[in-house]
Amino acid sequence: MGWDYSEKTKKLFMDAVKGVPGTHLGEIEDPDGLGEHGSIACGDALRFTFRVDRHPSDPTKDVIVEARYLTFGCTSAIAASEALCRLIEEKKVTPIEALAIKNQDIVDYVDGLPEQKIHCSVMGAEALQAAVFNWAQKRGVDLGKLGIDILPEEQDEGRMVCKCFGLTEPYIRRKIKELNLRSIPQITNAIKAGGACMTCHHTPGGLQDILDDVWGKEERVVIQSGDFPIRREAAPSASGFSDYQLGKMVEKTIDEEVRPTLHKDGGDIEIVDIKGTMVYARLTGACETCAIGDRTLHFVVERALKEKVDERIRVIAV
């Protein structure tokens, strides 16, 4: 299935992958601030860097003048990252002022995201916080004395709740409160917790217990179908598909979505093997020797397969 993206989201994405002047896909060498969030194993990852114009005597007055990102993700991940960079540069803010940019600001900037893609905006806000923490360490700024609690250690400390995505109880609790998450599907959409094996949904100490503890049982939103709770909202997934069915879906997407694009430039693609959600492929024809072949595999081939087949798919060049 495809996602219903806004025109602005699609334009931000296309401009970024085409490298249109003024876009921000890339990385700043020796940055003043560097933050990362997510992991490739989780399906989404963002590396965010910024450079500041340093104030000669007061580092809290440094102003961010350049921002860049590298992301492993889908259309919304790239568009949301692009939006984050633009928001920061357009506002001409200090790193501390940049912390006021929240995931909802990113969602608003791209004219909305599908509910199942909200986690892309959260990923940007989290990477920004990590980058500001990194800047503060380099510049000797004590964020605690300024009343700023970024809590970068949350991911590493505390009881592990969602083992698939490595998310701890302190982190999940904070995001439930910050984002006003009231149900397990909302948690999954926002931070991906519970989005894979789903065993943490109703296990003792799991997501539902945390929701009950934060909001109270009488106030929580219970989404039910008959007598059974819905474990998650529908999202593209190969779960339930046999290897044969997944292979056919990949072939169909390549034939209908990818090949027509490659043929315009005299190129083509060969699917060599599929193992789980790993698709091994090689570009052929004019694309075989193209200098941006890796970007084509990532931004054209992999993106299409993530959108149409399963967002966990990775394309490996062979």
Side-chain angles (χ1 to χ4, degrees):
M1 68 176 276
W3 298 104
D4 185 17
Y5 291 122
S6 69
E7 290 302 316
K8 191 169 185 179
T9 296
K10 289 185 281 189
K11 179 170 176 37
L12 286 169
F13 166 77
M14 291 304 300
D15 285 351
V17 299
K18 289 179 179 177
V20 171
T23 54
H24 301 79
L25 184 58
E27 186 172 17
I28 294 173
E29 186 176 353
D30 191 21
D32 293 302
L34 185 156
E36 296 177 328
H37 189 74
S39 71
I40 291 178
C42 298
D44 291 299
L46 172 62
R47 183 181 179 90
F48 176 74
T49 55
F50 66 74
R51 187 185 312 283
V52 298
D53 182 7
R54 295 193 173 199
H55 191 277
S57 59
D58 185 354
T60 64
K61 295 181 180 177
D62 289 353
V63 175
I64 299 176
V65 293
E66 184 180 11
R68 292 287 185 274
Y69 67 91
L70 293 173
T71 185
F72 177 89
C74 57
T75 298
S76 52
I78 293 173
S81 301
E82 187 66 32
L84 172 64
C85 292
R86 293 190 181 200
L87 279 167
I88 290 173
E89 291 185 356
E90 290 171 3
K91 290 177 179 291
K92 300 186 185 305
V93 292
T94 69
I96 293 173
E97 290 170 339
L99 292 174
I101 298 174
K102 304 300 183 185
N103 76 294
Q104 188 58 49
D105 297 311
I106 297 173
V107 173
D108 292 342
Y109 192 93
V110 300
D111 291 340
L113 285 173
E115 186 174 356
Q116 294 89 342
K117 294 294 184 179
I118 293 298
H119 64 268
C120 295
S121 64
V122 176
M123 183 167 65
E126 295 285 341
L128 169 62
Q129 286 192 355
V132 172
F133 182 79
N134 177 252
W135 160 84
Q137 288 182 313
K138 290 180 176 178
R139 293 287 278 155
V141 175
D142 189 337
L143 294 176
K145 287 186 177 179
L146 298 175
I148 299 170
D149 183 13
I150 292 181
L151 300 176
E153 72 283 2
E154 278 185 340
Q155 289 284 6
D156 299 323
E157 296 184 354
R159 181 176 61 87
M160 188 67 69
V161 175
C162 176
K163 296 179 181 178
C164 298
F165 295 111
L167 301 178
T168 63
E169 181 178 353
Y171 174 78
I172 293 172
R173 282 181 177 273
R174 179 165 67 91
K175 301 314 293 185
I176 285 175
K177 294 176 182 176
E178 285 183 359
L179 303 175
N180 193 29
L181 305 177
R182 299 281 178 161
S183 67
I184 292 175
Q186 288 180 344
I187 293 175
T188 301
N189 291 337
I191 60 175
K192 304 192 78 169
C197 75
M198 297 183 280
T199 57
C200 63
H201 284 197
H202 298 284
T203 193
L207 298 181
Q208 190 60 64
D209 282 351
I210 296 175
L211 279 169
D212 290 342
D213 188 55
V214 171
W215 301 120
K217 286 186 178 181
E218 70 283 1
E219 294 185 6
R220 68 180 169 86
V221 175
V222 179
I223 303 174
Q224 292 185 331
S225 177
D227 295 328
F228 300 96
I230 297 173
R231 292 195 295 181
R232 60 177 300 190
E233 293 185 355
S237 171
S239 300
F241 293 117
S242 66
D243 291 343
Y244 173 79
Q245 290 173 318
L246 179 66
K248 298 299 289 185
M249 293 166 67
V250 169
E251 289 179 359
K252 184 174 185 292
T253 301
I254 292 294
D255 287 340
E256 295 181 355
E257 304 289 335
V258 176
R259 281 206 165 88
T261 299
L262 300 182
H263 286 173
K264 292 178 181 177
D265 295 319
D268 206 339
I269 186 171
E270 177 186 357
I271 302 300
V272 178
D273 198 2
I274 301 174
K275 295 179 180 178
T277 54
M278 307 288 277
V279 176
Y280 297 84
R282 69 166 61 96
L283 295 173
T284 61
C287 294
E288 184 176 4
T289 56
C290 179
I292 59 171
D294 289 343
R295 290 169 66 94
T296 300
L297 282 175
H298 181 60
F299 292 119
V300 177
V301 182
E302 188 173 276
R303 181 188 65 83
L305 294 177
K306 282 177 176 288
E307 296 287 343
K308 300 293 183 180
V309 182
D310 189 310
E311 64 179 3
R312 297 171 299 175
I313 280 181
R314 289 186 60 197
V315 175
I316 308 298
V318 296

